[in-house]
Amino acid sequence: MQEKYIEKEWQRVLKAEEAYLNRNLSEKVSGWQTKISGFVPDKLENTLNTAFYKAFGLIFDRGTGIIEKTYQKEKKQQNYKINEYAAEVRDNRQSLRAFGREAAAGRCLNMAVSAVEGVGMGVLGLGLPDIPLFLGVLLKSIYELALSYGFSYETEEEQIFILKVIEAALSHGNALAEQNMKLNLWMQNRSFTETRSEQIRKTSDALARELLYLKFVQGMPVVGVVGGLSDMVYQKKISDYAAIKYKRRFLEQKRIQ
């Protein structure tokens, strides 16, 4: 009986994935971004890239423990086990969806934190110092998603998966479709070829390109509020995609059990 509910959720996650891909077929450039493009320093993208690269390395190597203090890791692991047991006993679609509800529980709070943090930095005209905070909240959201579906985030392989999810979420059109397909293939055969350092560089490139204008604006006192609000927008965009990929990965395992 449970196979029927798993298949229904599987079709649901496939539709969510397709909808995400369709929404991001083309890159949307705002008029104000076009107007300020001539004022953005040529070196800013490289500066952002370096800042993201260093922040990822710092968080993965020394910051995960700090992030874990902002939520109850053991409780989330226990909740996963409880949901897993309930799904086996109750054998219905509602119990299967409990994993998704658990995963969504902290996302709204994380986006609110990101908005407050981003706007606060924007008021002060602080763009670059915002980057470790932005990534810290983003990774917190993804870590909580992983735990809710029974996955870890401590190993290098899992960190590469997280980095690839972030990179894909910021891509468009054919690039997004290709990266999405690679993630799906990895779920089946676990064959990443990049090292963590190489993938950090790729993901930092994607973040620097996507957030270039917004971080430039965020570096201006008061006006930077516009750039600061973008933190929440991108938190949602990336965490929405991450939620789809972790749910698909979770169901992928269920379908072959």
Side-chain angles (χ1 to χ4, degrees), residues 111 114-115 117-119 121 130-131 133-134 211 214-215 218 226-236:
M111 283 187 283
S114 184
E117 165 263 312
V119 170
M121 288 292 191
D130 166 72
I131 287 174
L133 295 174
F134 171 79
L211 300 179
L214 295 165
K215 290 302 173 188
Q218 193 177 5
V226 175
L229 283 171
S230 69
D231 282 3
M232 181 181 67
V233 173
Y234 280 96
Q235 288 280 350
K236 185 178 187 309

Side-chain angles (χ1 to χ4, degrees), residues 206-218:
L207 283 162
R209 285 194 304 271
E210 190 74 11
L211 300 179
L212 177 63
Y213 297 120
L214 295 165
K215 290 302 173 188
F216 173 69
V217 171
Q218 193 177 5

Side-chain angles (χ1 to χ4, degrees), residues 191-257:
S191 59
F192 285 147
T193 57
E194 298 90 346
T195 64
R196 191 186 74 170
S197 179
E198 289 170 340
Q199 188 54 51
I200 287 177
R201 178 61 66 195
K202 290 181 180 180
T203 304
S204 297
D205 285 344
L207 283 162
R209 285 194 304 271
E210 190 74 11
L211 300 179
L212 177 63
Y213 297 120
L214 295 165
K215 290 302 173 188
F216 173 69
V217 171
Q218 193 177 5
M220 301 176 183
V222 183
V223 179
V225 170
V226 175
L229 283 171
S230 69
D231 282 3
M232 181 181 67
V233 173
Y234 280 96
Q235 288 280 350
K236 185 178 187 309
K237 180 181 176 68
I238 297 169
S239 63
D240 282 353
Y241 182 69
I244 292 170
K245 302 317 292 181
Y246 273 106
K247 182 176 180 179
R248 176 172 179 141
R249 187 177 168 187
F250 169 77
L251 292 171
E252 188 99 48
Q253 290 189 353
K254 290 289 184 186
R255 295 177 84 219
I256 61 177
Q257 285 179 354

Side-chain angles (χ1 to χ4, degrees), residues 9 23 34 40 55 70 76 82 87 89 95 103 112 117 137 159 173 183 201 216 234 254:
E9 286 302 297
R23 286 198 305 271
T34 303
V40 178
T70 64
K76 286 190 173 295
I82 291 169
V89 173
S95 61
E117 165 263 312
V137 177
Q159 290 169 359
L183 282 166
R201 178 61 66 195
F216 173 69
Y234 280 96
K254 290 289 184 186

